[in-house]
Amino acid sequence: MSTGKKITGTVLGAAIAGVLAGSAALVPFTDDARATDAGRRSDVVLGESKDAIPSRTASDWVSYGDQAAVVHVASEHEGVADSEEITAGEGYLSRTVDLQVKERVWSRSGAAALPDTLSIIADGWEFKDEGKLRVSSQDASRMEVGHDYLVSFAHFSDGEWSTLGTGAVLPYDNSEVGQGEYQGSTVTASAYRSTMASRLVTGVAEPLTYQAAGKTAAGVKSLLTSATPDATAAQNYSLDAVARARLVAKAAAAAAAAADTFCRVAAPLATDADSRYTPGELADVMADLAGMSEASDSTILRAYAAQLRAGDDSGWITGTVRKSAATRIARACTIDVGDLLPNDTGDTE
């Protein structure tokens, strides 16, 4: 990539959509984002878009999306730069695209009906010295006139429709995901899938861009109907995608805080902590941990606490309850708790 000075005042069209509909955050570009890789056009400026709503996986689509459809980009409209940018001779031009719905692929139960035609904000242009370059989000389609896309749409509380995020616009020329426009260039489905495969991360859920590559709309529908939505999002389908995403993030933060507290309490149980516990003391710790656990784990931990308090030595040593409790604590906190047996008889010298 070439390196140059920072381009001021340039933002993604998707980011502007985020200002209006809450779906993304403003992100500036730099000259070194200009596409020069093989298969990319040199008249496209690539930049990172920070979506406020997750759109990467099939689960994201069914958690936050309201409709998925195949659309055709019929036309585009250029926005007007602000006065400061005009005076400076450089800046960003927004772009609105007119879409025709060709096929309805998936609909969330209770979601608003998707209109037959709609207009949304998409990535626009950078202009400078009376010339302009197309702007595109990295790892996303720009939505060019004449091309088809399979898109996840969100319906916002103000009545507006927008794409769910940068991971929710799939090239779909000739009824095949991956065939068509991507980052401002025309790609084949096989090349698209290869690109997505190269970005897979072990242990991280596969993105829908990879799972859907080479499939028809029917194949994508199957992926969506078999996907499991986030539980918090599903409980709040009456809210729009932005509100759902905020609640999910809040729940995740609370869960992370709870897990951190759980592991702080469990830390002295690690074999390398060399802590000493009488049966009663260990029972108290088990009871504390049970109060911080989900139902299934809580039942096991409380059962072991009861055995300890009852003085059931044989149960401690041979019972499966103790072993299950040890496994759950070790797994949750990635620590070695050994046999998780009382190791202090209470005797003094």
Side-chain angles (χ1 to χ4, degrees):
M1 297 289 186
S2 62
T3 302
K5 68 178 182 179
K6 182 177 181 180
I7 300 172
T8 59
T10 304
V11 295
L12 291 179
I16 293 178
V19 175
L20 299 178
S23 60
L26 298 177
V27 182
F29 294 99
T30 55
D31 276 335
D32 59 352
R34 193 180 309 280
T36 56
D37 291 350
R40 297 180 182 173
R41 294 278 298 277
S42 61
D43 65 338
V44 178
V45 178
L46 297 180
E48 181 181 0
S49 179
K50 297 181 179 179
D51 296 328
I53 303 172
S55 62
R56 181 176 176 275
T57 66
S59 178
D60 292 336
W61 280 39
V62 299
S63 295
Y64 309 106
D66 296 309
Q67 300 279 353
V70 176
V71 298
H72 178 75
V73 182
S75 58
E76 64 185 10
H77 310 280
E78 182 180 302
V80 178
D82 65 38
S83 58
E84 292 184 0
E85 291 178 330
I86 293 174
T87 300
E90 60 180 348
Y92 179 80
L93 294 172
S94 63
R95 183 172 67 110
T96 301
V97 293
D98 297 329
L99 307 178
Q100 297 174 343
V101 176
K102 298 179 64 176
E103 180 182 354
R104 287 167 170 77
V105 177
W106 173 88
S107 177
R108 178 181 60 76
S109 177
L114 186 70
D116 293 335
T117 61
L118 65 160
S119 297
I120 64 171
I121 296 175
D123 294 339
W125 298 270
E126 168 210 323
F127 71 89
K128 183 176 182 179
D129 300 330
E130 298 183 353
K132 65 181 184 181
L133 298 172
R134 292 178 297 153
V135 170
S136 177
S137 303
Q138 288 182 355
D139 305 326
S141 290
R142 187 173 182 270
M143 302 195 80
E144 297 277 18
V145 173
H147 288 279
D148 290 348
Y149 303 87
L150 202 162
V151 181
S152 176
F153 289 101
H155 187 240
F156 294 95
S157 58
D158 60 2
E160 294 295 321
W161 289 90
S162 179
T163 60
L164 189 61
T166 52
V169 182
L170 310 179
Y172 196 65
D173 287 354
N174 301 321
S175 300
E176 184 178 13
V177 173
Q179 182 73 39
E181 181 270 319
Y182 174 71
Q183 293 187 151
S185 297
T186 300
V187 297
T188 64
S190 60
Y192 180 82
R193 182 177 176 81
S194 294
T195 297
M196 298 308 150
S198 70
R199 295 170 184 166
L200 295 178
V201 178
T202 302
V204 177
E206 293 179 350
L208 190 60
T209 50
Y210 171 75
Q211 293 181 327
K215 295 184 182 295
T216 63
V220 175
K221 180 178 181 179
S222 179
L223 290 172
L224 296 178
T225 54
S226 62
T228 303
D230 178 271
T232 299
Q235 292 166 4
N236 292 277
Y237 277 149
S238 60
L239 304 177
D240 73 7
V242 172
R244 272 178 255 156
R246 287 172 179 164
L247 288 176
V248 170
K250 184 177 180 180
D260 181 66
T261 301
F262 179 96
C263 291
R264 286 177 185 273
V265 173
L269 299 175
T271 55
D272 58 8
D274 199 29
S275 301
R276 310 297 294 177
Y277 290 97
T278 65
E281 289 170 341
L282 186 56
D284 289 341
V285 176
M286 293 298 104
D288 288 342
L289 293 175
M292 305 173 191
S293 305
E294 295 182 356
S296 60
D297 287 350
S298 178
T299 299
I300 291 294
L301 295 172
R302 290 188 191 281
Y304 185 40
Q307 285 184 348
L308 290 164
R309 290 196 175 105
D312 183 5
D313 295 34
S314 62
W316 302 345
I317 297 172
T318 63
T320 59
V321 171
R322 174 186 58 80
K323 295 178 182 178
S324 295
T327 298
R328 282 163 166 74
I329 295 170
R331 181 181 59 203
C333 302
T334 62
I335 59 175
D336 180 7
V337 297
D339 293 329
L340 199 62
L341 285 165
N343 56 9
D344 187 344
T345 63
D347 296 334
T348 60
E349 295 182 0

